[in-house]
Structure formats: structure tokens, C-alpha cells
Amino acid sequence: MRLDLRPLNPSFGAEVAGIDLSTPLDSETFARIEKTFDRHSLLLFRGQTLDENDHVALSRRFGMLQSHVLKPYLSNEHPELLVLSNIKENGRATGIGDAGQIWHADTSYVETPCRCSLLLGREIPAPEGDRTFGDTVFLSAAAAYDALPEEKKAALAQLTAPHSFIHYYKLKQAQGSNRPDLTKEQEAEVPPVNQPVVLAHPITGRKAIYVNPSYTTTINELPDAEGRALLDELFTHLIKPEFAYRHKWRPGDLVIWDNYATQHLAIGDYALPQRRLMHRTTVLLRDDAKARLAETRRALV
């Protein structure tokens, strides 16, 4: 079968129509979806009726799942499901209310970052006329790399940068987030790691800019001021409109994005009584892709 696709941006992303993901997919259909995902980096499926079991089962078709370090915000039924929500019950947050509001790639702060994320919109703030709330903006870090001058690509080729979840967490707290402090055990689970500034995709081989404002603060091989200036230059380049797609959520939307080829930003322009409830799974790399990633990292040591 051929998939019915609608491009979301000329450089990446596609909406897939006519697929009910709550129905188990045969091997041929899933293989086409996976191949299409690797090519487009982001897929959108509208009008889905997945329950938690369906969401987890579909995600496992892409690979093993990660359980997030923020254990209090995991689903009671499925620890692989991270709850993103501003809803409170008995005065207690049921999920992370301010997730993703700085540009980032999921889990770039671990040695082997996750392959992809699957985010399902369960409750979405109602629009007011043409205005929507709680949008997510995605960018193609691969298209942004392709657009760099050749001399800039060469200058970036051997550079590395530390990525730190602890830095991001403290940054959020400094901005006024009411997240509790990380425990010593949580901090030990996510020590800073070095990543290439330009990373070849471990599945497709396509190169992408792999630094982001959430987790990256300096360049290892450059003096601090020079490294900071280079990062600011790259961050400004990444968010150019030609590399971006802004998703306006509807209930039942499932978006799958590639964390090696894209970055994203959640727009926090809503507040209770506007309710927002999302479930996210995070898919780990398969062993063959892990081996290719490890090879890339060794080449930079």
C-alpha cells in the first residue's frame, strides 16, 4: 500500500491520512510508516483513539522504551508514558506543566540519545477563533545543517559540546518553575555527557546540528566566550522560519519526531481553566544504530 501523505514543511514533516493506529498494523504497513518516518523526520496522525496500551504497543514497534528520570510524572499504569499536563488533582500536579518550553532535542543529555518520541494529545485547550493554545514548534536540524556554508561545516566537524539535564533543570527553576529539586539519585542518573556539535544520524547517516539551548552551554574545544558566541550563532540559524513547522494541536493528534534530526519548542500560552493533557513515549535506539553512534563518538575522541 502507498501512504497518503501531506507535506508539513518543504524540508521535513508529513501528515499521514487514513491510518487508524489503534488497530494493530501489519508488518508491511508498519515498515512503510517507519521508512517514511526516517525520510521525513516527523509524522502527524490526526484523529487517533489510542488508549495507553495502544500507545505503548505502537511505540514498541519502533524500539525499546525509556522510563523518564522524573518518576513522579509517569503514568500509574505504564511507567513508559510520561504525563505532560497542567491539570491538578487535590492541589497536586498530575504531570509536568511546563515541559519543553526551551528549544531542545529529547534526551540529548544522555550518552545514547533516544531515537524518537511519540506524543499524543488527549486534552487540548479550546481555540478562540483562529487562535490556538499550547502549540508545538518543530525545526529540522538536518535542513539547517544542509544550509550552512561549506567552510562553516568544516569548522564544526571536530567540535564537541557538553549536554546537561541538570543545567536545564536549574535553568527552569531560575525562570520560576515550581519543579522540586532533583534528588541526588536523579542527578546521578543524568550526569553531563559530550556530544558532537554536528552528528551523523545513526540510522540514515544524514548530518544535523546537534546543540540546543536547553542542554548545551559551551563548546569543549573553544574558549568560553568564543564557544558561547558560536552556540548563539547556531541557535539563531536553527530557528529560521524555513526550517520550522508549527503544530496546532487537536485532541487525538499523534506526532512522532526524530530526536537526531529535529528539535522542538512547546508554547506555554495557556493556563487553567484551560486544560492540556499529553502522553509521551520515548523510544531508544536499536543495537545496530547504537553501534554506528558509538563509532561516530570514537572518531571524535
Side-chain angles (χ1 to χ4, degrees):
M1 64 170 289
R2 291 189 61 179
L3 298 180
D4 182 4
L5 301 180
R6 181 180 71 84
L8 299 174
N9 175 288
S11 62
F12 80 115
E15 178 180 346
V16 184
I19 298 284
D20 179 3
L21 296 173
S22 66
T23 302
L25 302 172
D26 61 73
S27 296
E28 181 181 355
T29 301
F30 179 78
R32 286 187 178 274
I33 289 174
E34 188 170 30
K35 186 176 181 180
T36 301
F37 172 67
D38 286 337
R39 184 168 70 251
H40 290 278
S41 305
L42 182 148
L43 295 181
L44 163 64
F45 298 84
R46 297 254 192 211
Q48 300 301 312
T49 57
L50 302 170
D51 61 22
E52 291 192 13
N53 291 326
D54 296 330
H55 189 166
V56 170
L58 172 66
S59 303
R60 283 188 175 136
R61 299 286 294 271
F62 288 91
M64 292 180 61
L65 303 186
Q66 177 201 54
S67 179
H68 199 277
V69 65
L70 298 180
K71 302 297 187 288
Y73 302 117
L74 303 179
S75 163
N76 292 330
E77 299 299 321
H78 294 281
E80 307 93 338
L81 279 173
L82 180 66
V83 181
L84 310 178
S85 179
N86 68 335
I87 301 169
K88 295 184 177 181
E89 292 179 356
N90 300 319
R92 178 183 174 275
T94 59
I96 304 175
D98 60 352
Q101 294 178 11
I102 306 172
W103 282 106
H104 66 289
D106 289 340
T107 73
S108 71
Y109 52 83
V110 300
E111 186 169 336
T112 304
C114 61
R115 176 188 183 186
C116 60
S117 302
L118 292 84
L119 184 61
L120 177 64
R122 296 197 174 276
E123 289 189 56
I124 307 298
E128 294 179 358
D130 293 334
R131 182 182 177 186
T132 55
F133 300 89
D135 299 351
T136 303
V137 188
F138 296 90
L139 63 82
S140 174
Y145 173 79
D146 290 344
L148 290 173
E150 292 304 315
E151 59 270 22
K152 178 62 73 173
K153 292 178 181 177
L156 299 176
Q158 295 300 312
L159 299 181
T160 63
H163 290 234
S164 172
F165 180 78
I166 298 169
H167 161 76
Y168 165 76
Y169 204 85
K170 291 179 178 177
L171 180 63
K172 290 299 297 181
Q173 289 180 319
Q175 292 177 340
S177 172
N178 58 4
R179 298 184 183 197
D181 291 339
L182 291 172
T183 66
K184 293 298 182 184
E185 291 76 16
Q186 287 174 318
E187 289 191 359
E189 196 175 329
V190 284
V193 298
N194 291 323
Q195 304 287 10
V197 170
V198 172
L199 182 59
H201 196 291
I203 296 173
T204 69
R206 188 180 180 189
K207 292 181 178 179
I209 298 171
Y210 202 69
V211 290
N212 63 76
S214 283
Y215 306 124
T216 320
T217 60
T218 190
I219 303 291
N220 289 319
E221 294 78 10
L222 299 176
D224 285 347
E226 189 178 340
R228 184 67 253 174
L230 176 58
L231 287 175
D232 289 342
E233 178 187 342
L234 292 174
F235 297 158
T236 299
H237 175 70
L238 280 161
I239 62 173
K240 288 179 178 177
E242 57 263 39
F243 309 134
Y245 161 67
R246 181 165 180 147
H247 183 62
K248 300 176 180 295
W249 289 94
R250 304 175 194 167
D253 281 357
L254 179 78
V255 177
I256 309 174
W257 64 84
D258 185 323
N259 284 298
Y260 286 86
T262 72
Q263 297 181 25
H264 58 284
L265 171 73
I267 307 298
D269 58 353
Y270 58 93
L272 293 172
Q274 294 170 303
R275 290 165 56 101
R276 190 174 189 264
L277 172 61
M278 323 285 280
H279 280 167
R280 192 192 82 187
T281 50
T282 302
V283 181
L284 303 175
L285 277 180
R286 292 172 179 157
D287 288 344
D288 56 339
K290 280 184 188 177
R292 285 191 289 273
L293 179 63
E295 221 173 285
T296 299
R297 295 170 65 92
R298 280 196 296 272
L300 286 172
V301 174

